[in-house]
Amino acid sequence: MFSHRLNFLPRLAAQYCKASATGSRMKHTLPDLPYSYNALEPVIIGDIMELHHKKHHATYTNNLNAAEEKLAAAHAEGDIGGMIALQPALKFNGGGFINHCIFWTNLSPQGGGVPQGDLADAINRDFGSFDSFKTTLTAATVAIQGSGWGWLGFDQKTHQLKIATCANQDPLQATTGMVPLFGIDVWEHAYYLQYKNARPDYVKEIFQVANWDNVSERYQAAL
Amino acid sequence: MDINVAFSFHECVLTIHRLAAQYCKASATGSRMKHTLPDLPYSYNALEPVIIGDIMELHHKKHHATYTNNLNAAEEKLAAAHAEGNIGGMIALQPALKFNGGGFINHCIFWTNLSPQGGGVPQGDLADAINRDFGSFDSFKTTLTAATVAIQGSGWGWLGFDQKTHQLKIATCANQDPLQATTGMVPLFGIDVWEHAYYLQYKNARPDYVKEIFQVANWDNVSERYQAAL
């Protein structure tokens, strides 16, 4: 029972990011960006991408590994209370690791435009139009109180695309059951150096670098 | 309208106004009090090098101003819903009231908690209370620092006063949740760790910001708040 619980997080993380095996346990590693730090300019400046990747995502990665080590140690000692006490650190850093792994692939210097094919059809079916989807996701994301993420997700039970928001680094799938397709990070570190308090401007602009090919791949994989 | 709903709505509005008025002057316009953005007690760059002027200006002119305006808007809608007997509508406004009301209150306190003449250590009764409840000033500072740095996401670290047990305590609140409404404790000294409070200067190094902010802590103001809470 406990080993089943231990396997959950690495499996979820491994779906989104390669993990490397060291000894008997998989350690997560910070994935490289698929493009250079300034590749998304002028939508997101290089300084933000560099800090976001090298500092924030790296910290989540390191702290996730540390939390998983402590979890394994507590499990080995039969320390159930200790395992439970680690849950906030696991959720925060595990979610932060997963979310940012998705985020870098959701963006591209060749991004923008509109989705094609099956994803476009599904968006029209479930939102009426691409514009309606974009308006809904934008409004929900801008309205997040505090730190969090706006998501286009896929509900595998109802076979529907849906918009959802999560607080802090709560991962979409573990929190709502939906498969994350496209996420918008609205922690202030994601935009403040460039957009200051103007979160709506950042959310509006990020669609210009949305990598709909990647979102389509994720949608196909979730069907 | 149900007399109990009318009474608790009245209480709700009075509580917000009373709480906000304790922290910030409100000006009367017509039949309802509108909250106004208070001025900083010092210039935007007065807290340099601990907090740069760009941060203070954005934090005050944009963030605090937005909470102020949105609080006034939410209170208008609350009054309208109440007038129509729309209980569901009143309840639906609670997140906006808590977020913007809390943001308004918290920042009103924050500007007074800081001073270009700040720093050093507390004196008098506050110093005695800190020694009594934390062992020493350093122990208090370490505890508040650790709790504040550890906040996941956006929030505030607080030195608060528990009026039931007559003790000073450390607490943290998420987002703009106001300390008193959330925990019952009277807020004495708060540290804003929303990224907008430090990112332009400290980037991801929240621990550095929290360490430095003690250099501009206005212990006189914290003492006044403590005396008022006793």
Side-chain angles (χ1 to χ4, degrees), chain A residues 34-57:
Chain A
Y35 36 77
S36 66
Y37 285 130
N38 57 12
L40 301 183
E41 293 187 356
V43 174
I44 305 178
I45 61 177
D47 281 356
I48 287 180
M49 294 302 290
E50 185 164 4
L51 276 161
H52 207 171
H53 179 247
K54 265 187 180 167
K55 300 288 181 181
H56 293 273
H57 195 186

PDB file of all heavy atoms in Angstrom, chain A residues 34-57:
ATOM      1  N   PRO A  34      13.205  24.243 -24.394  1.00  0.00           N
ATOM      2  CA  PRO A  34      13.335  23.850 -25.808  1.00  0.00           C
ATOM      3  C   PRO A  34      13.811  24.998 -26.700  1.00  0.00           C
ATOM      4  O   PRO A  34      13.860  24.846 -27.929  1.00  0.00           O
ATOM      5  CB  PRO A  34      11.902  23.432 -26.195  1.00  0.00           C
ATOM      6  CG  PRO A  34      11.100  23.453 -24.935  1.00  0.00           C
ATOM      7  CD  PRO A  34      11.800  24.338 -23.969  1.00  0.00           C
ATOM      8  N   TYR A  35      14.176  26.149 -26.125  1.00  0.00           N
ATOM      9  CA  TYR A  35      14.556  27.343 -26.880  1.00  0.00           C
ATOM     10  C   TYR A  35      15.416  28.192 -25.947  1.00  0.00           C
ATOM     11  O   TYR A  35      15.542  27.901 -24.759  1.00  0.00           O
ATOM     12  CB  TYR A  35      13.306  28.105 -27.356  1.00  0.00           C
ATOM     13  CG  TYR A  35      12.177  28.063 -26.347  1.00  0.00           C
ATOM     14  CD1 TYR A  35      12.204  28.877 -25.204  1.00  0.00           C
ATOM     15  CD2 TYR A  35      11.105  27.169 -26.495  1.00  0.00           C
ATOM     16  CE1 TYR A  35      11.206  28.792 -24.243  1.00  0.00           C
ATOM     17  CE2 TYR A  35      10.104  27.081 -25.538  1.00  0.00           C
ATOM     18  CZ  TYR A  35      10.160  27.885 -24.415  1.00  0.00           C
ATOM     19  OH  TYR A  35       9.178  27.795 -23.465  1.00  0.00           O
ATOM     20  N   SER A  36      16.039  29.236 -26.497  1.00  0.00           N
ATOM     21  CA  SER A  36      16.897  30.072 -25.663  1.00  0.00           C
ATOM     22  C   SER A  36      16.049  30.980 -24.773  1.00  0.00           C
ATOM     23  O   SER A  36      14.854  31.159 -24.999  1.00  0.00           O
ATOM     24  CB  SER A  36      17.819  30.920 -26.536  1.00  0.00           C
ATOM     25  OG  SER A  36      17.042  31.837 -27.275  1.00  0.00           O
ATOM     26  N   TYR A  37      16.716  31.560 -23.751  1.00  0.00           N
ATOM     27  CA  TYR A  37      15.981  32.369 -22.774  1.00  0.00           C
ATOM     28  C   TYR A  37      15.270  33.556 -23.412  1.00  0.00           C
ATOM     29  O   TYR A  37      14.196  33.936 -22.977  1.00  0.00           O
ATOM     30  CB  TYR A  37      16.919  32.848 -21.663  1.00  0.00           C
ATOM     31  CG  TYR A  37      17.292  31.742 -20.682  1.00  0.00           C
ATOM     32  CD1 TYR A  37      18.616  31.495 -20.336  1.00  0.00           C
ATOM     33  CD2 TYR A  37      16.308  30.948 -20.100  1.00  0.00           C
ATOM     34  CE1 TYR A  37      18.958  30.487 -19.435  1.00  0.00           C
ATOM     35  CE2 TYR A  37      16.636  29.935 -19.199  1.00  0.00           C
ATOM     36  CZ  TYR A  37      17.964  29.703 -18.875  1.00  0.00           C
ATOM     37  OH  TYR A  37      18.290  28.709 -17.986  1.00  0.00           O
ATOM     38  N   ASN A  38      15.847  34.146 -24.454  1.00  0.00           N
ATOM     39  CA  ASN A  38      15.222  35.332 -25.039  1.00  0.00           C
ATOM     40  C   ASN A  38      14.356  35.016 -26.262  1.00  0.00           C
ATOM     41  O   ASN A  38      13.894  35.915 -26.952  1.00  0.00           O
ATOM     42  CB  ASN A  38      16.263  36.385 -25.389  1.00  0.00           C
ATOM     43  CG  ASN A  38      17.319  35.854 -26.333  1.00  0.00           C
ATOM     44  OD1 ASN A  38      17.175  34.770 -26.905  1.00  0.00           O
ATOM     45  ND2 ASN A  38      18.388  36.610 -26.503  1.00  0.00           N
ATOM     46  N   ALA A  39      14.136  33.729 -26.507  1.00  0.00           N
ATOM     47  CA  ALA A  39      13.423  33.324 -27.726  1.00  0.00           C
ATOM     48  C   ALA A  39      11.963  33.773 -27.748  1.00  0.00           C
ATOM     49  O   ALA A  39      11.369  33.870 -28.824  1.00  0.00           O
ATOM     50  CB  ALA A  39      13.498  31.813 -27.903  1.00  0.00           C
ATOM     51  N   LEU A  40      11.385  34.035 -26.583  1.00  0.00           N
ATOM     52  CA  LEU A  40       9.961  34.390 -26.541  1.00  0.00           C
ATOM     53  C   LEU A  40       9.744  35.905 -26.517  1.00  0.00           C
ATOM     54  O   LEU A  40       8.618  36.366 -26.343  1.00  0.00           O
ATOM     55  CB  LEU A  40       9.284  33.762 -25.316  1.00  0.00           C
ATOM     56  CG  LEU A  40       9.349  32.232 -25.219  1.00  0.00           C
ATOM     57  CD1 LEU A  40       8.571  31.751 -23.998  1.00  0.00           C
ATOM     58  CD2 LEU A  40       8.811  31.567 -26.480  1.00  0.00           C
ATOM     59  N   GLU A  41      10.826  36.680 -26.663  1.00  0.00           N
ATOM     60  CA  GLU A  41      10.673  38.134 -26.711  1.00  0.00           C
ATOM     61  C   GLU A  41       9.952  38.512 -28.000  1.00  0.00           C
ATOM     62  O   GLU A  41      10.103  37.845 -29.030  1.00  0.00           O
ATOM     63  CB  GLU A  41      12.051  38.813 -26.641  1.00  0.00           C
ATOM     64  CG  GLU A  41      12.704  38.604 -25.280  1.00  0.00           C
ATOM     65  CD  GLU A  41      13.983  39.388 -25.072  1.00  0.00           C
ATOM     66  OE1 GLU A  41      14.443  40.055 -26.012  1.00  0.00           O
ATOM     67  OE2 GLU A  41      14.503  39.335 -23.939  1.00  0.00           O
ATOM     68  N   PRO A  42       9.176  39.578 -27.962  1.00  0.00           N
ATOM     69  CA  PRO A  42       8.951  40.503 -26.860  1.00  0.00           C
ATOM     70  C   PRO A  42       7.820  40.105 -25.907  1.00  0.00           C
ATOM     71  O   PRO A  42       7.470  40.893 -25.040  1.00  0.00           O
ATOM     72  CB  PRO A  42       8.559  41.791 -27.604  1.00  0.00           C
ATOM     73  CG  PRO A  42       7.813  41.303 -28.802  1.00  0.00           C
ATOM     74  CD  PRO A  42       8.475  40.014 -29.198  1.00  0.00           C
ATOM     75  N   VAL A  43       7.307  38.905 -26.056  1.00  0.00           N
ATOM     76  CA  VAL A  43       6.164  38.527 -25.229  1.00  0.00           C
ATOM     77  C   VAL A  43       6.598  38.289 -23.789  1.00  0.00           C
ATOM     78  O   VAL A  43       5.965  38.760 -22.847  1.00  0.00           O
ATOM     79  CB  VAL A  43       5.465  37.285 -25.805  1.00  0.00           C
ATOM     80  CG1 VAL A  43       4.358  36.806 -24.875  1.00  0.00           C
ATOM     81  CG2 VAL A  43       4.883  37.612 -27.184  1.00  0.00           C
ATOM     82  N   ILE A  44       7.700  37.535 -23.629  1.00  0.00           N
ATOM     83  CA  ILE A  44       8.276  37.343 -22.293  1.00  0.00           C
ATOM     84  C   ILE A  44       9.782  37.567 -22.426  1.00  0.00           C
ATOM     85  O   ILE A  44      10.448  36.880 -23.197  1.00  0.00           O
ATOM     86  CB  ILE A  44       8.025  35.930 -21.730  1.00  0.00           C
ATOM     87  CG1 ILE A  44       6.521  35.595 -21.740  1.00  0.00           C
ATOM     88  CG2 ILE A  44       8.561  35.823 -20.299  1.00  0.00           C
ATOM     89  CD1 ILE A  44       6.192  34.196 -21.250  1.00  0.00           C
ATOM     90  N   ILE A  45      10.296  38.526 -21.660  1.00  0.00           N
ATOM     91  CA  ILE A  45      11.701  38.892 -21.807  1.00  0.00           C
ATOM     92  C   ILE A  45      12.634  37.813 -21.254  1.00  0.00           C
ATOM     93  O   ILE A  45      12.247  37.021 -20.384  1.00  0.00           O
ATOM     94  CB  ILE A  45      12.004  40.244 -21.121  1.00  0.00           C
ATOM     95  CG1 ILE A  45      11.712  40.183 -19.625  1.00  0.00           C
ATOM     96  CG2 ILE A  45      11.223  41.360 -21.799  1.00  0.00           C
ATOM     97  CD1 ILE A  45      12.053  41.474 -18.880  1.00  0.00           C
ATOM     98  N   GLY A  46      13.857  37.821 -21.759  1.00  0.00           N
ATOM     99  CA  GLY A  46      14.848  36.817 -21.387  1.00  0.00           C
ATOM    100  C   GLY A  46      15.133  36.764 -19.896  1.00  0.00           C
ATOM    101  O   GLY A  46      15.349  35.684 -19.339  1.00  0.00           O
ATOM    102  N   ASP A  47      15.167  37.925 -19.232  1.00  0.00           N
ATOM    103  CA  ASP A  47      15.449  37.947 -17.789  1.00  0.00           C
ATOM    104  C   ASP A  47      14.431  37.117 -17.016  1.00  0.00           C
ATOM    105  O   ASP A  47      14.780  36.409 -16.070  1.00  0.00           O
ATOM    106  CB  ASP A  47      15.421  39.384 -17.264  1.00  0.00           C
ATOM    107  CG  ASP A  47      16.701  40.133 -17.572  1.00  0.00           C
ATOM    108  OD1 ASP A  47      17.642  39.518 -18.124  1.00  0.00           O
ATOM    109  OD2 ASP A  47      16.771  41.337 -17.268  1.00  0.00           O
ATOM    110  N   ILE A  48      13.168  37.253 -17.412  1.00  0.00           N
ATOM    111  CA  ILE A  48      12.124  36.488 -16.728  1.00  0.00           C
ATOM    112  C   ILE A  48      12.317  34.993 -16.981  1.00  0.00           C
ATOM    113  O   ILE A  48      12.298  34.182 -16.056  1.00  0.00           O
ATOM    114  CB  ILE A  48      10.719  36.919 -17.192  1.00  0.00           C
ATOM    115  CG1 ILE A  48      10.360  38.290 -16.619  1.00  0.00           C
ATOM    116  CG2 ILE A  48       9.662  35.886 -16.767  1.00  0.00           C
ATOM    117  CD1 ILE A  48       8.979  38.806 -17.028  1.00  0.00           C
ATOM    118  N   MET A  49      12.524  34.628 -18.239  1.00  0.00           N
ATOM    119  CA  MET A  49      12.649  33.199 -18.567  1.00  0.00           C
ATOM    120  C   MET A  49      13.836  32.585 -17.833  1.00  0.00           C
ATOM    121  O   MET A  49      13.759  31.464 -17.322  1.00  0.00           O
ATOM    122  CB  MET A  49      12.804  33.005 -20.080  1.00  0.00           C
ATOM    123  CG  MET A  49      11.586  33.412 -20.897  1.00  0.00           C
ATOM    124  SD  MET A  49      10.087  32.521 -20.435  1.00  0.00           S
ATOM    125  CE  MET A  49      10.479  30.870 -21.057  1.00  0.00           C
ATOM    126  N   GLU A  50      14.936  33.338 -17.758  1.00  0.00           N
ATOM    127  CA  GLU A  50      16.137  32.807 -17.112  1.00  0.00           C
ATOM    128  C   GLU A  50      15.915  32.601 -15.613  1.00  0.00           C
ATOM    129  O   GLU A  50      16.216  31.537 -15.068  1.00  0.00           O
ATOM    130  CB  GLU A  50      17.329  33.729 -17.355  1.00  0.00           C
ATOM    131  CG  GLU A  50      18.622  33.169 -16.801  1.00  0.00           C
ATOM    132  CD  GLU A  50      19.856  33.860 -17.349  1.00  0.00           C
ATOM    133  OE1 GLU A  50      19.720  34.834 -18.116  1.00  0.00           O
ATOM    134  OE2 GLU A  50      20.977  33.412 -17.006  1.00  0.00           O
ATOM    135  N   LEU A  51      15.369  33.611 -14.940  1.00  0.00           N
ATOM    136  CA  LEU A  51      15.086  33.473 -13.506  1.00  0.00           C
ATOM    137  C   LEU A  51      14.053  32.373 -13.255  1.00  0.00           C
ATOM    138  O   LEU A  51      14.194  31.563 -12.341  1.00  0.00           O
ATOM    139  CB  LEU A  51      14.548  34.794 -12.949  1.00  0.00           C
ATOM    140  CG  LEU A  51      15.573  35.838 -12.552  1.00  0.00           C
ATOM    141  CD1 LEU A  51      14.925  37.210 -12.479  1.00  0.00           C
ATOM    142  CD2 LEU A  51      16.214  35.489 -11.218  1.00  0.00           C
ATOM    143  N   HIS A  52      13.029  32.386 -14.108  1.00  0.00           N
ATOM    144  CA  HIS A  52      11.928  31.447 -13.934  1.00  0.00           C
ATOM    145  C   HIS A  52      12.428  30.005 -14.014  1.00  0.00           C
ATOM    146  O   HIS A  52      12.054  29.141 -13.219  1.00  0.00           O
ATOM    147  CB  HIS A  52      10.859  31.712 -15.007  1.00  0.00           C
ATOM    148  CG  HIS A  52       9.487  31.304 -14.600  1.00  0.00           C
ATOM    149  ND1 HIS A  52       8.357  31.624 -15.339  1.00  0.00           N
ATOM    150  CD2 HIS A  52       9.034  30.590 -13.557  1.00  0.00           C
ATOM    151  CE1 HIS A  52       7.285  31.126 -14.752  1.00  0.00           C
ATOM    152  NE2 HIS A  52       7.668  30.505 -13.673  1.00  0.00           N
ATOM    153  N   HIS A  53      13.329  29.760 -14.979  1.00  0.00           N
ATOM    154  CA  HIS A  53      13.866  28.422 -15.194  1.00  0.00           C
ATOM    155  C   HIS A  53      14.993  28.089 -14.205  1.00  0.00           C
ATOM    156  O   HIS A  53      14.907  27.106 -13.465  1.00  0.00           O
ATOM    157  CB  HIS A  53      14.391  28.319 -16.635  1.00  0.00           C
ATOM    158  CG  HIS A  53      14.991  26.998 -16.976  1.00  0.00           C
ATOM    159  ND1 HIS A  53      16.326  26.821 -17.249  1.00  0.00           N
ATOM    160  CD2 HIS A  53      14.426  25.770 -17.107  1.00  0.00           C
ATOM    161  CE1 HIS A  53      16.565  25.556 -17.525  1.00  0.00           C
ATOM    162  NE2 HIS A  53      15.432  24.891 -17.454  1.00  0.00           N
ATOM    163  N   LYS A  54      16.027  28.926 -14.190  1.00  0.00           N
ATOM    164  CA  LYS A  54      17.249  28.633 -13.421  1.00  0.00           C
ATOM    165  C   LYS A  54      17.070  28.744 -11.906  1.00  0.00           C
ATOM    166  O   LYS A  54      17.841  28.159 -11.148  1.00  0.00           O
ATOM    167  CB  LYS A  54      18.332  29.637 -13.809  1.00  0.00           C
ATOM    168  CG  LYS A  54      19.275  29.204 -14.872  1.00  0.00           C
ATOM    169  CD  LYS A  54      20.384  30.241 -14.995  1.00  0.00           C
ATOM    170  CE  LYS A  54      21.388  29.874 -16.057  1.00  0.00           C
ATOM    171  NZ  LYS A  54      22.273  31.020 -16.367  1.00  0.00           N
ATOM    172  N   LYS A  55      16.115  29.575 -11.465  1.00  0.00           N
ATOM    173  CA  LYS A  55      15.918  29.776 -10.038  1.00  0.00           C
ATOM    174  C   LYS A  55      14.645  29.090  -9.544  1.00  0.00           C
ATOM    175  O   LYS A  55      14.675  28.184  -8.721  1.00  0.00           O
ATOM    176  CB  LYS A  55      15.883  31.268  -9.698  1.00  0.00           C
ATOM    177  CG  LYS A  55      17.146  32.009 -10.049  1.00  0.00           C
ATOM    178  CD  LYS A  55      18.296  31.665  -9.126  1.00  0.00           C
ATOM    179  CE  LYS A  55      19.556  32.460  -9.509  1.00  0.00           C
ATOM    180  NZ  LYS A  55      20.699  32.131  -8.656  1.00  0.00           N
ATOM    181  N   HIS A  56      13.511  29.506 -10.083  1.00  0.00           N
ATOM    182  CA  HIS A  56      12.235  29.009  -9.550  1.00  0.00           C
ATOM    183  C   HIS A  56      12.039  27.524  -9.853  1.00  0.00           C
ATOM    184  O   HIS A  56      11.830  26.724  -8.953  1.00  0.00           O
ATOM    185  CB  HIS A  56      11.075  29.848 -10.085  1.00  0.00           C
ATOM    186  CG  HIS A  56      11.085  31.259  -9.581  1.00  0.00           C
ATOM    187  ND1 HIS A  56      10.503  31.634  -8.395  1.00  0.00           N
ATOM    188  CD2 HIS A  56      11.633  32.392 -10.092  1.00  0.00           C
ATOM    189  CE1 HIS A  56      10.690  32.929  -8.192  1.00  0.00           C
ATOM    190  NE2 HIS A  56      11.372  33.424  -9.214  1.00  0.00           N
ATOM    191  N   HIS A  57      12.100  27.143 -11.146  1.00  0.00           N
ATOM    192  CA  HIS A  57      11.888  25.732 -11.495  1.00  0.00           C
ATOM    193  C   HIS A  57      12.979  24.865 -10.881  1.00  0.00           C
ATOM    194  O   HIS A  57      12.723  23.760 -10.389  1.00  0.00           O
ATOM    195  CB  HIS A  57      11.839  25.559 -13.020  1.00  0.00           C
ATOM    196  CG  HIS A  57      11.283  24.253 -13.476  1.00  0.00           C
ATOM    197  ND1 HIS A  57      11.278  23.861 -14.798  1.00  0.00           N
ATOM    198  CD2 HIS A  57      10.701  23.239 -12.787  1.00  0.00           C
ATOM    199  CE1 HIS A  57      10.711  22.662 -14.901  1.00  0.00           C
ATOM    200  NE2 HIS A  57      10.353  22.268 -13.705  1.00  0.00           N
TER     201      HIS A  57
END
